[in-house]
Amino acid sequence: MIISASRRTDIPAFYSQWLCNRIRERYVLVPNPFNPHAVSRVSLSPDLVDCIVFWTKNPAPMLSSLVRLEDYRYYFQFTLNGYGSETECGLPPLERRLDTFRRLADRIGCGRVVWRYDPVWTDARYDVAFHAETFDRIATSLRGYTEKCMLGFLDSYRHIRRVIGDASVPDAEDMERLAVSFRTSAARCGIVPETCTSKVDLSRFGIRSGQCIDRELVERLAGYRLSAKRDGRQRSVCNCIESVDIGMYESCPNGCIYCYAVRGGRASALRGRLRHDAASPMLLGRPGPDDTVRERAVRSLRAGQESLFRET
């Protein structure tokens, strides 16, 4: 089993103590997003967890807790882009996050911190020139601290469209200019760019469609092959292999207006966070009398013999 922590919220930034408590107690309760009274009890036994994938924009609060993860394999998907505070109002300044990225890579290795430049959109303020310059500046700052950059593009969910104005996915001409610029900057800095879905095909520019929940990287960290399928719970354009997400929607206060996981805006996420109890087995609140808790059937995805080349 691969644990996703989490596509739904920024656990490293806001809920790291809760995660440490769950690691210590070796289980977590996860409500079904479509039926919150149906709750899964998910084992976090190291024998069953092949890898933990962290999704974050600011893991600084978690750096002191990494020692708690010594029984697990894990890596980080760390989003860094250059939008302003009107777009990402809850984040520290970019330079501070770049420093956090470098410190994290120094701690766990550059191969275990994947840079996300995501989502990409263009409008009157954030045009091709902005993205080319910003990507190059970030890539230069991360040279030697990461091996890969995942490129993501704006998703036009209805609640996002209401607040993001005239922003759009770059047209064909702008996409070509961006792809060439991203590839050139990444190559200069020893970083491999990939798209995080097959929605935007940049293969003709030497940028392949990759995986955020990455079979190759997990196998490298674990030291064994995986018997894993593509995750059918994700969109058809997503290449990720199967994982179990332990987060909850409406709980991330980063304040990113393009976020698909917070439909009610930052105010909704801040209200949700008021329900958080670090001692609870659930991220928000506790199971109630109307909730049904069932053990989720999980297993290690390990297949075959252990490799002699496990990465530490």
Side-chain angles (χ1 to χ4, degrees):
M1 165 181 59
I2 296 170
I3 294 293
S4 177
S6 156
R7 285 184 173 97
R8 301 169 183 168
T9 192
D10 195 330
I11 289 176
F14 300 105
Y15 303 107
S16 59
Q17 183 56 56
W18 172 81
L19 178 69
C20 289
N21 292 340
R22 295 298 88 229
I23 291 293
R24 187 183 69 251
E25 297 187 24
R26 297 295 201 246
Y27 80 98
V28 60
L29 298 185
V30 185
N32 185 316
F34 304 103
N35 178 11
H37 292 299
V39 180
S40 295
R41 188 183 192 277
V42 179
S43 173
L44 295 179
S45 166
D47 294 332
L48 298 175
V49 177
D50 300 285
C51 190
I52 303 174
V53 180
F54 293 106
W55 308 70
T56 186
K57 294 183 177 176
N58 178 30
M62 192 174 172
L63 294 186
S64 62
S65 303
L66 293 176
V67 66
R68 309 281 186 90
L69 299 173
E70 60 185 4
D71 293 334
Y72 298 85
R73 279 84 58 174
Y74 61 91
Y75 68 93
F76 282 77
Q77 292 269 346
F78 192 146
T79 299
L80 285 171
N81 46 49
Y83 296 120
S85 58
E86 81 289 345
T87 300
E88 301 170 326
C89 65
L91 297 179
L94 177 59
E95 288 303 320
R96 194 188 308 170
R97 286 178 281 137
L98 284 166
D99 180 67
T100 297
F101 194 111
R102 293 188 290 261
R103 287 191 291 134
L104 177 61
D106 280 339
R107 289 280 299 275
I108 68 174
C110 65
R112 294 168 65 190
V113 191
V114 178
W115 169 32
R116 299 184 67 84
Y117 191 78
D118 174 36
V120 177
W121 79 74
T122 53
D123 60 15
R125 178 171 181 177
Y126 300 119
D127 57 10
V128 170
F130 165 85
H131 285 293
E133 178 183 348
T134 301
F135 185 93
D136 186 76
R137 177 161 61 96
I138 295 174
T140 300
S141 296
L142 298 183
R143 185 171 189 168
Y145 292 96
T146 189
E147 296 176 353
K148 184 163 65 174
C149 176
M150 302 301 293
L151 300 167
F153 294 85
L154 181 69
D155 285 311
S156 296
Y157 293 98
R158 184 179 301 175
H159 68 284
I160 295 174
R161 179 56 55 193
R162 288 198 301 265
V163 297
I164 210 161
D166 62 352
S168 63
V169 174
D171 61 25
E173 181 180 351
D174 285 347
M175 189 70 78
E176 179 173 351
R177 294 166 60 198
L178 284 173
V180 171
S181 177
F182 291 164
R183 184 194 62 201
T184 301
S185 294
R188 179 177 56 80
C189 297
I191 299 170
V192 176
E194 298 180 356
T195 57
C196 76
T197 69
S198 59
K199 178 178 69 174
V200 175
D201 182 5
L202 301 181
S203 58
R204 64 192 183 280
F205 305 108
I207 301 174
R208 73 170 188 171
S209 178
Q211 299 175 327
C212 302
I213 307 291
D214 186 342
R215 176 193 298 272
E216 182 179 321
L217 178 52
V218 175
E219 289 182 338
R220 195 171 88 198
L221 295 176
Y224 51 77
R225 293 182 294 112
L226 300 179
S227 175
K229 302 175 292 185
R230 193 192 73 81
D231 195 337
R233 293 179 292 272
Q234 304 302 320
R235 297 171 297 163
S236 61
V237 294
C238 179
N239 301 320
C240 290
I241 60 173
E242 57 192 302
S243 64
V244 176
D245 202 297
I246 62 170
M248 292 176 67
Y249 292 110
E250 302 296 323
S251 63
C252 182
N254 276 329
C256 305
I257 63 172
Y258 52 76
C259 182
Y260 65 85
V262 180
R263 291 181 176 274
R266 193 179 188 216
S268 172
L270 290 171
R271 288 193 300 272
R273 197 176 180 214
L274 292 176
R275 298 172 52 213
H276 175 66
D277 177 356
S280 171
M282 283 172 33
L283 185 71
L284 299 182
R286 289 179 174 273
D290 296 328
D291 295 337
T292 300
V293 179
R294 290 191 172 91
E295 191 78 23
R296 179 163 181 163
V298 295
R299 61 178 178 84
S300 170
L301 298 174
R302 177 173 178 163
Q305 292 292 318
E306 185 164 356
S307 167
L308 298 177
F309 302 103
R310 174 175 168 181
E311 179 175 311
T312 59

